[in-house]
Amino acid sequence: MQLHDVWFVLIAVLWTGYFFLEGFDFGVGILTKLLARDRSEKRVLINTIGPVWDGNEVWLLTAGGATFAAFPEWYATLFSGFYLPLLIILVCLIVRGVAFEYRAKRPEENWQRNWETAIFWSSLVPSFLWGVAFGNIVRGVKIDKNFEYVGTFWDLLNPYALLGGVVTLTLFTFHGAVFTALKTVGDIRERARKLALQVGLVTAVAALVFLLWTQVDSGDGKSLVALIVAVAALVGALAANQAGREGWSFALSGVTIVAAVAMLFLSLFPNVMPSSLNGDWSLTVTNASSSPYTLKIMTWCAAVATPIVLLYQGWTYWVFRKRIGTQHIAEAAH
C-alpha cells in the first residue's frame, strides 16, 4: 500500500470519527425541539453535549486539513464545486457554537428561546447537507478534463444525494436520541427511548434503500460486507434500545455509522471524486495526491499527534460520563 492509499484510509477514518461523534450531538441539538417539553429539559439536553461538542468538531477540522494537505486537487475541486452547501454548513457551525456560548448569558426568555431555535436549525441543516454532499461525491459530479467542477448547485440536488441527506438526518437524530437515553435519568430518558424507536424505524428504511442503491451503482464485495454490518448493527441498536440497554444501543448505532461511512469510501476507492462526464476525468488517489515527501512528513506528524488527541478526548468523555436530569438543573439554578 502506497502513502496516498494510506492517507485515503486515514481521511476516511477522520470522517467516520466526525460523523460518529458530531452525529450524536447534532442529534441532541435536533431533539431540543422534538423531545424537550420545557426549559429545564432543554438545559438537560444541551448539558449532555456541553463539555464535548467543540471537541467533536476537531475531527472535521482535521479531516479538512488532511484533505487539503494530502489531496490538494480533491480539496480544490470539492470546495469550489460544493461552495454553497459547504458555506451553509460553515455558517451553521459558527452560529451553533455562538448559540451554545451565548444562550445562558442573559436570563430573558426570548433571548434563550431564540438561541435554542438557532441550536435546532444549525444542527438539522448540516445533518442533512452532509448526506447530500457525500451522496454527490460517491455518485459522481460534472468534472471536466481540467479537474474542475462545471455543474451547478441544482445538479447537486439529485434524488440519490437527497436520499443520502435524509439518511444522515434521521441516523444522526436516532444516534442523538440513544445518546440522550444513555446520558439522562427520569422521564426524559424514557421518552428518548420511545422517540429513538420511532426515528430508528424511519432510519432503517431510508438507510437500506440508500445503501442498496449505492451497492448496485458502485459497490463490490467489500462494500457489501460493510452494508450487511451497517444493517445488522442498526437492527441490533433498535433491539437493544427496546430492551433498555442504552449502552449497547449507542455502541451499535455508532457501528452503523462507521459501517455506512466505510461502505461509501469503499465504493469510492480508488476515486476520490468521480466524474459523471467521463471516467478518465475522475480525481483518484493518484492524480489528486500531494508529493510522496509531503505525505511522508504528514505521516510522521500524524503518528505523533493522533494518540495525544485521542487520549485527551477520551479523558474528557470519562470525566463527564455520569447521567444528568432536571433535578441537577434545579440544583444548579440555586
Side-chain angles (χ1 to χ4, degrees), residues 220-256:
D220 56 16
K222 294 178 181 178
S223 62
L224 179 60
V225 172
L227 185 156
I228 294 171
V229 171
V231 173
L234 183 54
V235 172
L238 286 167
N241 177 72
Q242 280 300 94
R245 303 295 298 272
E246 291 99 345
W248 279 105
S249 184
F250 179 71
L252 288 169
S253 68
V255 171
T256 303

Side-chain angles (χ1 to χ4, degrees), residues 7 10 296-312:
W7 273 97
L10 291 176
K296 184 177 180 180
I297 297 297
M298 289 175 61
T299 303
W300 280 108
C301 292
V304 173
T306 302
I308 299 173
V309 173
L310 292 176
L311 281 172
Y312 81 67

Side-chain angles (χ1 to χ4, degrees), residues 11 15 19 60 63-68 71-87 89 129-144 146-153 156 265 268 272-274 283 288:
I11 289 172
W15 280 111
F19 287 140
L60 172 62
T67 304
F68 171 77
F71 299 99
E73 287 281 1
W74 183 13
Y75 182 93
T77 303
L78 175 65
F79 279 79
S80 59
F82 291 22
Y83 182 83
L84 183 55
L86 292 178
L87 177 63
I89 290 174
L129 288 181
W130 279 128
V132 173
F134 272 84
N136 278 292
I137 291 173
V138 174
R139 173 180 175 269
V141 292
K142 294 180 179 179
I143 299 175
D144 66 12
N146 297 316
F147 301 138
E148 295 180 358
Y149 178 72
V150 293
T152 67
F153 169 76
L156 302 178
F265 276 94
L268 191 60
V272 294
M273 207 165 177
L283 289 166

Side-chain angles (χ1 to χ4, degrees), residues 1 10 27 41 50 95 120 124 141 146 150 154 174-175 181 221 230 286 314:
M1 180 181 286
L10 291 176
E41 290 190 351
V95 170
F120 170 76
L124 185 148
V141 292
N146 297 316
V150 293
W154 303 109
F174 171 70
H175 198 39
T286 304

Side-chain angles (χ1 to χ4, degrees), residues 53 57 87-99 122:
W53 68 268
E57 290 189 356
L87 177 63
I88 293 172
I89 290 174
L90 177 60
V91 170
C92 285
L93 294 179
I94 293 171
V95 170
R96 192 166 182 265
V98 173
S122 60

